[in-house]
Amino acid sequence: MSTHRLQTVNELIAGSFGGAAQVIVGQPLDTIKTRTQTAPRGMFKGPMDVLLQTLRKEGFFALYKGMASPLAGIAGVNSLLFASYGVAKRVISPFPNKSLQEIASAGALAGAANAILASPVEMFKVRMQGQYGAITDKKLRVVVSEMWSQWGFRKGIMRGYWVTVAREIPAYAGFYTAYEFSKRKFATKYGENVPAWALLASGSTGGLAYWLSSYPLDVVKSRIQLANEPPRGTPIQYIIRDMKNIVVSEGIPGLFRGLTPSLIRSIPAAGSTFLAYEISREYLREFTGA
């Protein structure tokens, strides 16, 4: 196997470890974020009320609703993401030391590729998180079956794909650029052996940049994926239309509903993602030589 192919395989494997760490650490705050974005107006007073009502009415494990979809899928999503990022970096420049502009470009390309798997995984997660403990709540297999039988692959399983692409491109450009910038700052002090806490801090910086680069599009994506019917018109038309509807009904703050739990979640979730990835990647590099 060629060195580049072996590197890609190693990035796929290490990415799956990073994805698993991300879901386990970040799922409760992701549930709060999604419910804050999508709940009927007036149902909750804010993210803290979402947390308290969820715990009181549904119990602690309701914060992990929809985790089966991302836990099964995020490993694959992150595998694709990190492998795509590695391939994109090698395509953009054969030299090891990339500029931050090249890092941003590689991140944007990886984000576009990542949307292929991220869109269905998040669609099912959002629909599971959008259930509030009623007797009529559905199991994941039922949600999957209904979306497929009622709407098919494109309008059901892949609903929200294009808005996911629109979100992922700036999000991962910011994600990887902020991570690399922060990691390089630590490297000037510690050299190549950057300590684990510094990798966690760098990953957290990347996570914050991810949401700050793309959050209004995430709100639109969640609402499209939770809607009873698929959006009408071209992707540009329905993304702009949904943004306008949110601003008209809720003002500009409506485009940022749930941002606080997302930013809080990104600190441990993105940090653990990069830490798990870097540790796994280093072990595989030593084991395989690539």
Side-chain angles (χ1 to χ4, degrees):
M1 186 181 291
S2 70
T3 300
H4 283 174
R5 287 186 180 180
L6 190 54
Q7 286 176 336
T8 301
V9 170
N10 289 345
E11 287 156 356
L12 285 165
I13 296 171
S16 68
F17 282 101
Q22 174 186 327
V23 174
I24 293 169
V25 171
Q27 183 69 11
L29 282 165
D30 187 76
T31 298
I32 294 171
K33 179 265 293 184
T34 300
R35 290 187 167 190
T36 303
Q37 288 177 339
T38 61
R41 200 171 184 189
M43 185 172 185
F44 300 112
K45 297 175 183 177
M48 185 57 68
D49 191 41
V50 173
L51 172 62
L52 295 176
Q53 286 201 44
T54 299
L55 292 174
R56 185 170 63 251
K57 295 178 181 179
E58 303 172 62
F60 173 77
F61 288 104
L63 295 172
Y64 285 89
K65 271 189 174 180
M67 192 175 82
S69 171
L71 192 57
I74 288 293
V77 168
N78 268 37
S79 290
L80 176 62
L81 173 67
F82 279 97
S84 299
Y85 176 62
V87 170
K89 284 197 298 180
R90 290 189 285 274
V91 169
I92 288 170
S93 173
F95 302 107
N97 296 321
K98 308 290 192 295
S99 69
L100 290 179
Q101 290 86 350
E102 290 170 333
I103 292 294
S105 298
L109 290 172
N114 184 61
I116 296 170
L117 289 181
S119 180
V121 167
E122 292 203 13
M123 195 276 293
F124 291 122
K125 174 179 67 68
V126 165
R127 294 188 79 84
M128 292 298 294
Q129 291 171 328
Q131 301 182 121
Y132 299 96
I135 196 170
T136 54
D137 280 5
K138 301 168 184 176
K139 300 287 188 181
L140 176 60
R141 66 178 181 273
V142 176
V143 174
V144 173
S145 177
E146 287 183 353
M147 291 300 289
W148 174 261
S149 62
Q150 292 178 20
W151 302 107
F153 180 74
R154 186 171 64 86
K155 294 183 178 181
I157 304 300
M158 295 298 289
R159 182 180 299 180
Y161 170 72
W162 287 111
V163 68
T164 304
V165 172
R167 181 196 70 174
E168 300 287 69
I169 290 174
Y172 281 110
F175 182 70
Y176 282 110
T177 303
Y179 173 71
E180 283 293 335
F181 176 80
S182 181
K183 183 182 174 184
R184 290 175 187 185
K185 288 295 183 182
F186 284 117
T188 59
K189 181 177 181 179
Y190 296 102
E192 292 184 2
N193 297 318
V194 177
W197 68 264
L199 292 176
L200 279 169
S202 299
S204 298
T205 302
L208 293 171
Y210 176 99
W211 289 118
L212 293 173
S213 301
S214 63
Y215 196 79
L217 286 166
D218 187 70
V219 175
V220 173
K221 177 199 69 69
S222 294
R223 296 193 183 196
I224 286 172
Q225 291 176 328
L226 191 60
N228 292 327
E229 296 184 357
R232 295 186 299 273
T234 67
I236 292 177
Q237 288 174 334
Y238 63 69
I239 289 171
I240 293 175
R241 182 175 64 240
D242 280 22
M243 280 191 168
K244 285 182 177 179
N245 289 341
I246 291 170
V247 171
V248 168
S249 61
E250 304 172 43
I252 295 294
L255 293 172
F256 296 91
R257 282 180 66 179
L259 177 59
T260 299
S262 295
L263 293 176
I264 294 172
R265 170 185 176 270
S266 70
I267 295 172
S272 61
T273 298
F274 273 109
L275 180 61
Y277 173 81
E278 293 282 7
I279 291 174
S280 303
R281 185 69 184 86
E282 184 59 32
Y283 172 80
L284 291 167
R285 184 180 292 110
E286 292 178 2
F287 183 74
T288 64

